[in-house]
């Protein structure tokens, strides 16, 4: 129903910034709650940020509050993750995810996933 493709990952330095993008195909994008998750080597997939269908509600993991911002553009079918004040512990594979009207911070509630984009932060 919706296809997701992430981009914008790469190498960043501690204290720097990166902006991730998630492009969605499909004419029902505005019906989906969206989120970003990340997975580091040897770790489980962790919640990062979520945004409701209209963009009026957002949620963040404690580890990224005040540093990351999630936003969406329902006209262009895009979801963004602005990452500021990067830390080495932000290094992970970042995934964009969608769920049909089930706003959640739990990865098990999401049934559409992108392929992931790698973020590496060095000090």
């Amino acid at each position: 129903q919706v296809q997701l493709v992430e981009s914008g990952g790469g190498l960043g330095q501690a204290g720097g910034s990166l902006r991730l993008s998630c492009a969605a195909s499909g004419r029902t994008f505005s019906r989906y709650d969206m989120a970003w998750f990340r997975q580091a080597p040897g770790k489980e997939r962790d919640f990062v940020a979520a945004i409701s269908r209209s963009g009026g509600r957002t949620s963040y993991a404690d580890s990224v509050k005040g540093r990351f911002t999630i936003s969406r553009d329902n006209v262009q079918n895009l979801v963004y993750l602005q990452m500021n004040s990067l830390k080495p512990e932000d290094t992970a594979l970042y995934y964009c995810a969608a769920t049909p009207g089930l706003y959640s911070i739990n990865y098990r509630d999401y049934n559409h996933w992108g392929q992931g984009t790698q973020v590496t932060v060095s000090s």
Side-chain angles (χ1 to χ4, degrees):
Q1 297 188 33
V2 60
Q3 313 295 322
L4 307 174
V5 179
E6 303 96 332
S7 62
L11 178 64
Q13 292 205 330
S17 298
L18 286 173
R19 190 193 196 197
L20 306 184
S21 297
C22 175
S25 63
R27 283 169 275 184
T28 60
F29 175 71
S30 62
R31 301 180 186 177
Y32 289 85
D33 297 298
M34 305 294 298
W36 289 93
F37 292 83
R38 66 187 182 185
Q39 188 167 22
K43 303 287 186 177
E44 64 182 8
R45 188 166 298 186
D46 292 329
F47 169 75
V48 177
I51 188 166
S52 61
R53 295 182 297 279
S54 66
R57 179 183 178 186
T58 57
S59 299
Y60 297 93
D62 288 341
S63 60
V64 306
K65 284 182 179 178
R67 300 190 299 119
F68 291 9
T69 302
I70 188 172
S71 61
R72 69 188 297 164
D73 183 338
N74 286 350
V75 175
Q76 300 190 63
N77 289 6
L78 293 171
V79 181
Y80 302 102
L81 184 68
Q82 179 66 46
M83 304 185 293
N84 298 327
S85 301
L86 287 167
K87 302 177 180 180
E89 51 263 43
D90 293 323
T91 296
L93 188 64
Y94 283 71
Y95 295 94
C96 178
T99 186
L102 297 173
Y103 186 81
S104 175
I105 65 171
N106 299 314
Y107 74 89
R108 293 182 180 272
D109 291 327
Y110 289 81
N111 52 10
H112 298 280
W113 296 86
Q115 84 290 345
T117 185
Q118 179 67 39
V119 171
T120 302
V121 182
S122 64
S123 59

